[in-house]
Amino acid sequence: MQALAERVHVDLAGRTLTGWEPLGFAGLKTVTPSPDELIGRMLRAVGRRGKYLVFDFDETQARSPRLLVHLSQAGRLDLEQPPKRNRGGKGGVVRLRFGGDEQPEAAVLIREHGTERKAAWWVLAAGDDGPLAQLGPEPDDDDFAELILHGADRRRVHTLLRDQSTVAGVGRGYADDALWRAHLSPYATLAGTDAAQRQRLLGAVRAVLHDGLDRERTRTGGLSEPKLGGHFEVHGRSGTPCPRCGDPMRRVSYDSYEVTYCPACQTDGKVLADRRFSRLVK
Ligand SMILES: [Zn+2]
């Protein structure tokens, strides 16, 4: 999301919102202010908070109306220069049109693959944080370091890393990669880790995010490919050799996702029970 925000910023900051086309019914999560109130305003900056893209309008940083976009798992963002005339295809959410003095027209198309309908957007009045108010600190913040180094959270680390109200912007993939880098079990808890392991975990979370950002910065355009495919070090690679020790990576399957780990590097060689597999053989 960070790299995508940077690309949208480079392409569109300084242009004026000239219109918006609702393409789906459920996408807009706010009633007031109306998106119409953003028309004619200049897009000052595009940034990121957690997994949200944040479009800041107007000149003054502190009190500007904002538009948020959350792509969720299957959401895509196309940069259209010039804007297209179609309805965004199946799964269209919204098209935001931008123009400006002597600048060619451009648009951002938000759309979603599949049938989940989770991609969404918000228009927030100045001073309203909307869903951003629920987010925990960013991984680079001191508050996150404090939590990892001294916290007594009893949940599994994998779970707390994915909880956006605990720390913002870490998904399943980065959680898998961070635990693998830190040599920690997917079932590890903060309460059960010592100071050295906590320090390793903090460094690993920050490192996988920074490395991921470096890779994502090599992309161009919107986000139209299957998101982050082949992007992770170990996430989604069960059955392939561990990049560090060469032993086969394993997985634990849940209903809608799976956790990838290396027994040799992370669990003292112990293979964790795979619930889905266990159910099948019963
Ligand atoms: Zn390994």
Side-chain angles (χ1 to χ4, degrees):
M1 280 309 108
Q2 177 67 36
L4 179 63
E6 291 171 2
R7 294 199 296 274
V8 177
H9 177 88
V10 166
D11 279 6
L12 295 182
R15 297 196 200 196
T16 301
L17 186 76
T18 55
W20 63 286
E21 299 163 25
L23 304 172
F25 290 106
L28 179 60
K29 298 300 179 191
T30 43
V31 178
T32 55
S34 161
D36 289 344
E37 293 188 28
L38 297 176
I39 292 175
R41 289 180 185 265
M42 190 190 77
L43 180 64
R44 191 182 55 78
V46 181
R48 175 202 61 85
R49 175 78 172 97
K51 296 177 180 177
Y52 294 84
L53 294 175
V54 182
F55 293 71
D56 270 316
F57 287 86
D58 255 347
E59 298 76 16
T60 51
Q61 188 156 358
R63 292 259 153 195
S64 63
R66 289 178 292 181
L67 186 153
L68 307 183
V69 172
H70 195 292
L71 293 177
S72 198
Q73 290 296 316
R76 303 288 183 263
L77 184 153
D78 294 339
L79 279 164
E80 300 178 339
Q81 310 195 61
K84 292 182 178 160
R85 297 274 161 209
N86 62 27
R87 301 282 302 160
K90 210 188 278 180
V93 177
V94 65
R95 178 182 280 122
L96 305 168
R97 292 173 168 274
F98 294 88
D101 296 341
E102 296 173 23
Q103 285 178 319
E105 280 225 297
V108 165
L109 171 68
I110 308 297
R111 58 191 173 84
E112 188 169 21
H113 281 289
T115 55
E116 280 211 320
R117 299 290 164 262
K118 284 187 178 167
W121 60 296
W122 293 253
V123 179
L124 302 179
D128 180 8
D129 282 336
L132 303 182
Q134 313 300 322
L135 296 178
E138 296 285 323
D140 279 338
D141 290 347
D142 291 344
D143 283 353
F144 177 65
E146 177 66 22
L147 168 80
I148 295 298
L149 298 179
H150 305 292
D153 197 307
R154 306 188 72 83
R155 292 173 293 171
R156 285 176 182 165
V157 172
H158 201 281
T159 305
L160 80 86
L161 288 178
R162 288 182 290 115
D163 177 354
Q164 299 299 301
S165 66
T166 301
V167 55
V170 183
R172 296 156 189 162
Y174 286 125
D176 279 6
D177 281 11
L179 286 164
W180 174 79
R181 278 211 199 187
H183 294 257
L184 285 176
S185 163
Y187 291 172
T189 63
L190 283 181
T193 48
D194 62 26
Q197 289 171 320
R198 287 172 180 241
Q199 195 72 54
R200 229 160 51 212
L201 175 63
L202 177 63
V205 171
R206 290 175 168 177
V208 294
L209 289 165
H210 290 164
D211 290 354
L213 177 56
D214 285 346
R215 280 194 298 275
E216 284 296 304
R217 277 182 173 146
T218 64
R219 287 185 187 240
T220 56
L223 185 69
S224 48
E225 302 296 312
K227 203 159 118 189
L228 306 178
H231 167 109
F232 297 106
E233 280 179 300
V234 301
H235 175 67
R237 297 182 188 272
S238 68
T240 69
C242 168
R244 187 162 45 214
C245 74
D247 275 14
M249 306 286 305
R250 297 274 189 159
R251 69 179 164 199
V252 181
S253 302
Y254 295 88
D255 287 339
S256 60
Y257 69 103
E258 61 183 45
V259 171
T260 312
Y261 69 102
C262 170
C265 292
Q266 293 174 254
T267 58
D268 294 327
K270 185 167 169 264
V271 174
L272 305 172
D274 189 324
R275 295 187 322 150
R276 176 173 290 176
F277 183 68
S278 309
R279 272 208 304 272
L280 285 177
V281 297
K282 256 177 213 167

